[in-house]
Every structure is written in structure tokens, then in C-alpha cells.
């Protein structure tokens, strides 16, 4: 699946992933109204509004981008009905040829991580049948529990040719609270280094057993909001694809991103969520209006693509 | 909800939580067969088998215990059908007066953690209505993203009188890989301390704004398999209830647990999953046979209750 991601990036010329993280207040009034008329002001109504919103955006941008990243929390907030729409969104995007990165940030002790891995990337054995649950192409994984919480995901990736992105340095303001703490070296002659570097080294080690042609199936999440750390982590994990959230609404810009990429122009994929899916709410794209929200999203994708291409050319 | 948890513990005299983590191979053949006859060897068939298994166990043990802890991964592996059974299990346990701890280990950047908090503990606004998603009483939370990833959960806990248990030192063999790493003090005169202590201190700080009568709504997860660390963390977080996984099948014993409790006999609740729900597969309880698996679970709860009570008396 890392090969398909790379092919998609090369075909579109856009190392971009659109975050399908639909807050209800991003969904234009007219879609909400129609869904509530059909299903009432219920979880099912909300989920239907989100689905119609997603579908229109996907249709409008799918030829421009290699991948999408639905954030499962935004669906989970609507309970089962929301998760049904998560699943429909995954399926619909795959039909359109997009790589689907489920942003689920799962991670637990071994046997439990295995169940998550099976549910999101693999197949579960029921009697004599193998059945798929959510069936994303990649998911994000939280490393706090250490190797035995991560390796079950890697095992399923090897079996199913899928991939993971492990949280290393997240994009949020307080990510440094634990991730930046200086950790003592285990060897007498080593210096102190921040925790995210220790985790980054493990990502490189985990990934070495699980290689595509040039990149590993085991990638990393490093926030666009921390370009200096991105530069260091790029070198520590040369074969890891980096999923870079935090572009746009969270403050990251194209110029901040150049060091997340390798010299081959690959190695990173930059996510924007709000900046794309709620573009029509920004002054820059307000001319589209709520009725043409998906066209605003398309314009925002084109602008993001150009911003990143320009930054990479000028590096 | 922390008050209800304490009342339930005092009423039953058992600081015990039963982990409803049904692997399909725990579910007796006769239940699987019946479910597959009804729904085929499908996700729905598997979910139905799990539901019948859960229900029988809950009926058999609910008068003995204060709380249950369904592990959502074990349901998520069966996709939507599994999650429907997760929700039914939560509801059924609440009807029986049990406190429900959703073991979901969620955690993300601020706005995303808010969506998880709403989906699992709170209510989401749809038009003019407030709708509940999964509606557990407590959930477990992963702290890797720092304060702005945890505080949205605390905010919902304050609004809804619910609670969280934050992962501090997990029960798995490789939990030390990151959690035990020695971290440099931020002040010049401080010594180096393991990361789990730093996280534990934050749990105490987060919880101080969010107090029940004697314990905070913000608890911690500390594995039974690490009793020495439990002793230290008990003192670092005197007002935090500790959820203690790892008893039984993972190797923890009653005698290991005494230091997780405060002098008031409260402050900890010990989880057993496999050891209870798959008791009929152990030699000790094999006389019950698969047909009477729920009676074996009841016997295992009684034995666990006695083991812990004895350890607490002899401390």
C-alpha cells in the first residue's frame, strides 16, 4: 500500500492528504436541513448530513489528490450512525482510487492492539470465513505502550500489505509536555535527547522489517507546526514516510515543510482538514458561498498544491 | 460518577472490575453455532455470539461487582456489528446498576479529543437536540499528546459528572520502553525521574479541578504487573482512583496489589478480563464445562474477591 500511496502522489504531483474531519458546523445549512427533514434532529440525521457533505467534497477533489484521512473521532461522536458513515466514506474513497488513512490513533497491549489491527486493516476469522471490518489502507497508531503495543499492527500490515503512521511529534500546542522531555541515554556515553527522537528511532527500527521498494510500511506522524523537529526526524527515519498534520488552520505553511521531504521529493504527505473541507467559510473562498462549498474545497486544494510545490522548488 | 463507583465498591465489598473483552475463541461453541445458524458466519453472526456470551456473564456476576470494563477493540474488530454490541453491552450493564468503564484509550489534539469525549461520555448537539453516542460512565485516555489532548475529556467529565482513567504505567511487558525512560528535571536541582512519574504528577494536577467527595474524577491506569511503581504512583496521586489491569491472566496477584490502595481501603479497582470471562477454560473451573461458562465466571469472581480481600487484610 505504500507503493500505491507513492504512485498516487507521483500521478497527481501532490503530496497532499485531505482530512475528512467533518464537524457539524462545517456542514452547510442546506445539507443539515435536508438531512433533518429526512431523519429528524437525531444521530442518524447528523450522520446523513456529514455523509452528503463528504461525498460532495470527495467528488470535487478526488482527481487532484492521492489520499484522504478521515478522523474517526468526528464520526464516533455520532455513535453507531456516525461510524456507519465513517465506513461508507472509507469505501467511497477507495472506489475513487484514493488511499485511505484512518486517523484512529489506536494503541493498546498486545492482544488488544491485534484486535484493533484486525478491525481496521485486516480480517477477522468468523467460523471458516474471513471478514473485513473497517478496512482502511493505513491507520495512525499511538506508541505510548511500546513495542508490544505496536508490533501487532505491523504484523497485520505485513500480511495485508497495508501501513501505519506512528505518532512521534504531534502538531498540537502541548505536544512538547511529554514528547519534548529530555530523556537520559541508556548508554554511559550518550547525551540526553527528547522523547520524540527516541520514539522516532523506534519507528525506524520497527519499519526496517517491513519495506516497500524505497519506503517502509511503518511511517510517522510529525506536525507541520514543528519544522525544526521535522528536520531532525527526517534524518533519523530516512525510510519512513512522514504524515504531516497541522498545515493551514493549525498554522503550518509550505515553506515550513520542505525539510519533511527527502531529496527524492518523496517521504512526506501533508494533511489539511478544516482548511480544505471548510474552505467556503474562509474569506479567501467566500465567493463560492455555502451552496458551492465543494468548489471552494477544490480551489483550496489547488492553492495548497501550489504552495507546497513552490516551497519544494525553492528549497 | 466517581461517587457511584465508590458506593458500588462499598456495597459489594469488592474493588473489582470485570473486563468484558470477548475474543471469539472465548465464546463457547454452542453459542457460536446458534448465532451462525441465525446470521451466518458473518460479522453480525460473530457479534451476536459475543452479545449472548456477554449477557450470560453479566447476569451471572452483576450482583457481586461494582463495575465492568468493556474493551472496545474486541468489538471494533467486528466493525459496525461489533460496535452495536459494544453499545448494547454498555446499556445492559448500566441497567443492572453497574458502573461502565469504556476501555477505549482515546486521545488526540484538542478539537478531536473533544469529539471523542462527546461521543463516549457526553452529548452532541444536533440542531436543537442533544444526543448521546456510546454514553459510558468512565473511559480510559492516552496522555501522549499532553494537556490539550486530555483537558477536553475533563471538561466533559465536569459537565456530565463522569470520569476518566489516564494511562500512566501500563501492564504490558514493553510498557517500560518509553514509560520508564528517565526524564531530566525541568528545574536545576531536581533529579531524573521516569516518564510515568511525570505523567502521574500531571494526572494529579489535572484531577485537582475535578473532585468528588474524596477522590477525583480523573483517575489513572497502573498495571498490577508493576507493584513497585504502583506504590510510588499511589503516593504521587493520592486523590486519583487507580484502575489496575493485569491481574490474573497477565500475572498480577492479590498480594501485589495492596500498595495500589490507600489507607481508607479505597483508591483502586482491579480488573480481570480473561481470568473471569474465560474461566471455564482454566483447569480450576473446568468442572463447569462450556455449557455453564457463566457459573465458572461467577466462581472466578468470588475467588478474586477473596484473594484481594485477604491481601488487604494482611497488609
Amino acid at each position: 500500500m505504500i507503493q500505491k500511496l507513492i504512485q498516487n502522489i507521483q500521478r497527481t504531483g501532490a503530496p497532499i492528504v485531505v482530512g475528512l474531519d467533518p464537524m457539524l458546523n462545517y456542514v452547510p445549512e442546506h445539507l443539515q436541513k435536508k438531512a433533518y427533514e429526512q431523519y429528524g434532529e437525531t444521530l442518524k440525521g447528523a450522520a446523513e448530513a456529514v455523509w452528503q457533505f463528504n461525498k460532495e467534497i470527495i467528488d470535487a477533489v478526488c482527481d487532484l489528490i492521492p489520499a484522504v484521512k478521515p478522523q474517526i473521532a468526528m464520526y464516533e461522536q455520532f455513535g453507531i450512525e456516525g461510524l456507519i458513515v465513517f465506513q461508507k466514506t472509507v469505501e467511497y474513497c477507495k472506489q475513487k482510487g484514493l488511499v485511505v488513512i484512518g486517523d484512529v490513533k489506536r494503541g493498546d497491549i498486545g492482544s488488544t492492539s491485534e484486535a484493533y489491527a484486525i478491525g481496521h486493516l485486516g480480517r477477522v476469522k468468523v467460523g471458516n470465513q474471513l471478514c473485513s471490518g473497517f478496512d482502511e489502507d493505513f491507520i495512525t497508531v499511538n506508541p505510548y505502550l511500546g513495542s508490544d503495543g505496536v508490533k501487532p499492527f505491523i504484523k497485520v500490515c505485513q500480511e495485508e500489505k497495508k501501513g501505519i503512521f506512528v505518532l512521534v511529534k504531534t502538531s498540537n500546542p502541548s505536544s512538547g509536555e511529554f514528547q519534548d522531555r529530555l530523556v537520559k541515554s541508556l548508554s554511559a556515553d550518550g547525551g540526553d535527547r527528547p522523547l520524540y527522537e527516541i520514539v522516532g528511532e523506534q519507528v525506524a527500527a520497527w519499519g526496517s522489517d517491513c519495506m516497500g521498494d524505497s519506503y517502509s510500511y511503518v511511517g510517522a506522524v510529525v506536525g507541520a507546526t514543528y519544522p525544526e523537529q521535522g528536520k531532525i526526524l527526517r534524518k533519523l527515519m530516512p525510510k519512513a514516510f512522514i504524515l504531516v498534520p497541522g498545515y493551514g488552520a493549525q498554522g503550518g505553511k509550505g515553506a515550513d515543510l520542505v525539510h519533511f521531504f527527502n531529496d527524492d521529493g518523496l517521504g512526506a504527505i501533508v494533511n489539511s482538514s478544516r482548511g480544505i473541507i471548510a474552505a467556503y467559510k474562509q474569506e479567501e473562498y467566500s465567493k463560492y458561498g455555502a451552496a458551492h462549498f465543494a468548489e471552494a474545497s477544490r480551489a483550496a486544494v489547488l492553492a495548497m498544491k501550489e504552495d507546497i510545490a513552490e516551497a519544494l522548488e525553492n528549497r
Side-chain angles (χ1 to χ4, degrees), chain A residues 228-241:
Chain A
E228 287 306 312
Q229 288 89 333
K231 198 168 170 176
I232 294 162
L233 288 163
R234 175 68 290 165
K235 284 176 189 148
L236 269 181
M237 317 175 293
K239 301 291 185 194
F241 235 84

Side-chain angles (χ1 to χ4, degrees), chain A residues 16 18 28 32 34 48-49 57 73 91 93 132 136 143-144 156 163 177 190 206 229 239 250 263 279 305:
Chain A
I16 285 177
V18 170
Q32 290 193 49
K34 198 172 162 201
E48 173 65 16
I57 290 173
E91 274 174 26
C93 290
S132 290
E136 298 107 298
Y144 189 66
V156 171
E177 197 170 307
W206 292 325
Q229 288 89 333
K239 301 291 185 194
Q250 287 184 57
D263 291 338
K305 185 177 162 179

Side-chain angles (χ1 to χ4, degrees), chain A residues 75-285:
Chain A
Y75 303 83
E76 221 165 297
Q77 69 181 326
F78 303 115
I80 298 294
E81 297 296 341
L83 286 161
I84 290 172
V85 166
F86 176 81
Q87 187 174 40
K88 275 163 78 171
T89 300
V90 170
E91 274 174 26
Y92 191 73
C93 290
K94 283 165 66 176
Q95 282 168 19
K96 297 276 178 179
L98 296 164
V99 169
V100 178
I101 303 167
D103 196 353
V104 303
K105 294 189 177 65
R106 302 303 195 243
D108 208 299
I109 67 168
S111 53
T112 308
S113 278
E114 194 182 336
Y116 278 131
I118 284 172
H120 286 279
L121 299 172
R123 286 167 294 171
V124 64
K125 193 152 190 239
V126 180
N128 294 308
Q129 303 300 315
L130 287 172
C131 306
S132 290
F134 291 103
D135 207 17
E136 298 107 298
D137 297 318
F138 286 82
I139 59 170
T140 55
V141 167
N142 186 308
Y144 189 66
L145 286 89
S147 286
D148 63 27
V150 175
K151 285 187 175 166
F153 290 101
I154 296 177
K155 186 169 160 271
V156 171
C157 287
Q158 286 167 331
E159 289 162 6
E160 304 280 342
K161 302 270 177 217
K162 296 202 169 177
I164 57 173
F165 293 98
V166 179
L167 304 187
V168 175
K169 170 69 184 167
T170 55
S171 61
N172 55 317
S174 71
S175 72
E177 197 170 307
F178 303 126
Q179 297 164 24
D180 289 3
R181 290 302 291 262
L182 286 179
V183 167
K184 297 268 286 185
S185 173
L186 293 176
S187 63
D189 54 348
D192 303 328
R193 288 186 312 150
L195 180 62
Y196 63 77
E197 287 191 24
I198 312 293
V199 178
E201 276 182 353
Q202 275 293 20
V203 167
W206 292 325
S208 62
D209 288 341
C210 203
M211 285 294 297
D213 292 344
S214 50
Y215 285 94
S216 171
Y217 292 6
V218 180
V221 174
V222 183
T225 41
Y226 298 103
E228 287 306 312
Q229 288 89 333
K231 198 168 170 176
I232 294 162
L233 288 163
R234 175 68 290 165
K235 284 176 189 148
L236 269 181
M237 317 175 293
K239 301 291 185 194
F241 235 84
I242 303 180
L243 171 63
V244 189
Y247 177 90
Q250 287 184 57
K253 290 182 181 37
D256 298 331
L257 297 170
V258 293
H259 300 298
F260 290 84
F261 290 83
N262 277 321
D263 291 338
D264 60 3
L266 290 168
I269 185 160
V270 183
N271 180 75
S272 177
S273 302
R274 238 179 311 168
I276 305 290
I277 67 172
Y280 75 101
K281 293 197 157 199
Q282 297 165 38
E283 211 184 311
E284 204 178 338
Y285 303 105

